[in-house]
Amino acid sequence: MTIDKDLQQMEFEAAAFRRLVQHLRDRHDVQNIDLMNLAGFCRNCLSNWYREAAENAGVEMSKDQSREIVYGMSYDDWKNRYQGEASAAQKAAFEENKPKE
């Protein structure tokens, strides 16, 4: 790839990331446990990946800072506003499908 194609690809990836983040902010009815059970990642995973990318680039970032970027507010505020209690079925599916360490 040329520099222009690399830059263009990075711009497209950044736009897709911003759209995904906005979509997740708009769909607060979709719980993290549902995302984990269906897709194997959630908002917290996305914020962790963001923080890891920042740290790999030499930028220190806390877990709270990266979560605020993804959630659009503090994680505690989001949980208080939107997070419901997980059902027994959701918890059982998570235990079955959670990532292996």
Side-chain angles (χ1 to χ4, degrees):
M1 279 189 160
T2 66
I3 292 174
D4 289 339
K5 284 195 175 252
D6 288 344
L7 181 58
Q8 188 178 51
Q9 179 178 348
M10 190 172 13
E11 289 172 350
F12 294 163
E13 290 167 349
F17 172 79
R18 288 189 298 269
R19 188 166 179 180
L20 172 61
V21 166
Q22 188 59 54
H23 182 75
L24 291 173
R25 286 179 184 177
D26 292 343
R27 291 298 311 269
H28 47 77
D29 58 310
V30 178
Q31 298 292 299
N32 280 333
I33 196 164
D34 295 323
L35 289 169
M36 284 298 295
N37 288 340
L38 293 172
F41 82 100
C42 68
R43 294 169 181 87
N44 291 336
C45 298
L46 192 59
S47 70
N48 290 339
W49 300 336
Y50 189 96
R51 183 173 40 83
E52 289 171 11
E55 290 174 352
N56 287 339
V59 176
E60 287 190 37
M61 181 175 288
S62 71
K63 183 187 291 189
D64 289 337
Q65 289 171 314
S66 65
R67 284 184 173 182
E68 191 161 331
I69 289 166
V70 170
Y71 285 91
M73 64 184 70
S74 76
Y75 181 54
D76 287 338
D77 284 347
W78 191 90
K79 285 192 320 184
N80 289 333
R81 288 183 191 188
Y82 304 117
Q83 185 167 308
E85 181 65 32
S87 70
Q90 287 170 313
K91 291 176 184 177
F94 179 76
E95 286 304 316
E96 186 175 315
N97 297 311
K98 71 181 176 183
K100 311 295 184 247
E101 293 181 23

